[in-house]
Amino acid sequence: MRLGIGYRRELSAWIDTQPESIQCLEITAEHFFDRGEEGLLRLAQRFPVYVHGLGLSLGTPGPLDQTRLNRFARVAATANAQWVSEHIAFTRTPEVDLGHLNPIPMTEQMLDLMIDHAREVSDRCRRPILLENITSHLRVPGEIPEPEFLNRLCERAGCALLLDVTNLFINSRNHRFDPVDWLRQIKARFIRQLHIVGYAREGERYTDSHGEPVQEELIALAREVVRVAPVESIILERDDDFPSTDGLRSEMEKLERIRTNN
């Protein structure tokens, strides 16, 4: 099980020192669409790399944006990505780019669409694809319980899950369900990668601000996952309020505690 971090420009100086705690990197494809190929090649020579997408909008009905998909595939090829990943979500309609991840209705029709789109991305990139759960303040009505939807999606698309532990925790608090019970309904063999980052809280509302240290309850939940699932990597995410080098080292030590179950 490798431990790593999501590559961000603000973290590049620290990552360039090749700290012992970093055994892999996840890069965001869109950050390298228009620039940085040389830098990406350097990263790929020093670390195993995973390529993560934000805007393919797999949940939008109709064909995928072929220009965007081709750019995504070029980044994956340049990085020699171990795998690629995207969200179980949509980010745009045929008329407008919404600019953020939105939940999909978990229906038979949407399941078929997600399967087709996941297969297309994997085929174009010539790499396995992992799909990530998102947070949402909305509960979109659907026909299929979320764990069943994810199991069927992985089974039929031949893909795996990028389980965002923080997103699961946040949804469980905002929508009042037991995250451990939710996990028990997921077929453990499908969970291949984890994301984790601290959450923010305002009153009774939890959000994924991507700017907080990882809390103890997230570590406990992640341990539940790695105890039963064949997780190959854990990625620390951070997009705001970047900590000092000592703070980064402390956050990576938390990932080590997850891996060793200490």
Side-chain angles (χ1 to χ4, degrees):
M1 187 189 304
R2 295 182 179 127
L3 306 180
I5 196 164
Y7 182 86
R8 305 292 185 267
R9 178 177 52 81
E10 293 85 351
L11 302 174
S12 60
W14 177 65
I15 291 171
D16 283 345
T17 69
Q18 293 187 264
E20 291 184 4
S21 56
I22 302 298
Q23 293 131 27
C24 57
L25 289 178
E26 181 179 81
I27 67 102
T28 300
E30 286 81 358
H31 294 173
F32 291 87
F33 272 4
D34 299 314
R35 56 182 174 81
E37 182 171 305
E38 185 177 328
L40 184 54
L41 284 168
R42 285 198 301 270
L43 292 174
Q45 290 167 357
R46 299 164 73 185
F47 300 95
V49 173
Y50 316 115
V51 170
H52 189 51
L54 298 174
L56 290 178
S57 199
L58 303 187
T60 298
L64 294 174
D65 182 324
Q66 296 301 302
T67 298
R68 183 179 287 268
L69 178 54
N70 286 335
R71 296 169 84 187
F72 184 95
R74 281 197 298 272
V75 171
T78 301
N80 191 25
Q82 307 288 299
W83 58 67
V84 298
S85 59
E86 248 290 359
H87 299 84
I88 302 168
F90 74 96
T91 58
R92 62 183 178 277
T93 71
E95 295 81 23
V96 62
D97 190 331
L98 300 170
H100 60 88
L101 300 166
N102 301 279
I104 59 172
M106 297 199 173
T107 63
E108 295 288 348
Q109 183 178 13
M110 183 56 69
L111 179 60
D112 290 341
L113 177 73
M114 288 293 301
I115 289 166
D116 288 346
H117 283 171
R119 287 174 174 168
E120 182 178 357
V121 174
S122 181
D123 289 348
R124 186 71 57 85
C125 294
R126 300 182 181 180
R127 284 164 172 78
I129 184 170
L130 278 58
L131 299 178
E132 180 182 1
N133 55 305
I134 69 165
T135 59
S136 174
H137 295 298
L138 300 174
R139 295 289 279 179
V140 178
E143 305 163 356
I144 308 170
E146 185 177 28
E148 179 185 345
F149 186 96
L150 299 183
N151 287 334
R152 291 171 62 185
L153 175 58
C154 289
E155 193 77 59
R156 290 177 55 196
C159 65
L161 290 179
L162 193 179
L163 179 65
D164 192 307
V165 174
T166 307
N167 289 353
L168 171 58
F169 179 85
I170 288 170
N171 284 341
S172 75
R173 290 300 184 268
N174 289 340
H175 302 303
R176 309 203 182 281
F177 64 87
D178 183 345
V180 176
D181 180 65
W182 186 98
L183 278 172
R184 288 175 180 152
Q185 297 176 62
I186 298 291
K187 293 180 180 179
R189 71 179 188 272
F190 291 138
I191 303 175
R192 191 167 179 184
Q193 182 182 7
L194 303 184
H195 275 176
I196 192 165
V197 63
Y199 61 80
R201 181 179 179 182
E202 295 182 8
E204 295 303 309
R205 182 62 60 182
Y206 292 73
T207 60
D208 55 339
S209 65
H210 281 210
E212 303 290 335
V214 174
Q215 293 95 343
E216 285 298 318
E217 52 264 57
L218 300 177
I219 295 172
L221 186 56
R223 284 173 174 162
E224 288 288 330
V225 182
V226 302
R227 185 174 59 83
V228 298
V231 175
E232 295 184 31
S233 74
I234 306 176
I235 295 293
L236 175 71
E237 294 190 291
R238 197 68 177 250
D239 290 291
D240 195 15
D241 197 15
F242 293 96
S244 65
T245 298
D246 286 344
L248 290 165
R249 189 177 299 116
S250 176
E251 289 294 275
M252 294 306 300
E253 287 172 357
K254 295 175 183 177
L255 271 61
E256 184 62 40
R257 288 170 53 203
I258 295 168
R259 177 165 65 177
T260 60
N261 256 306
N262 290 329

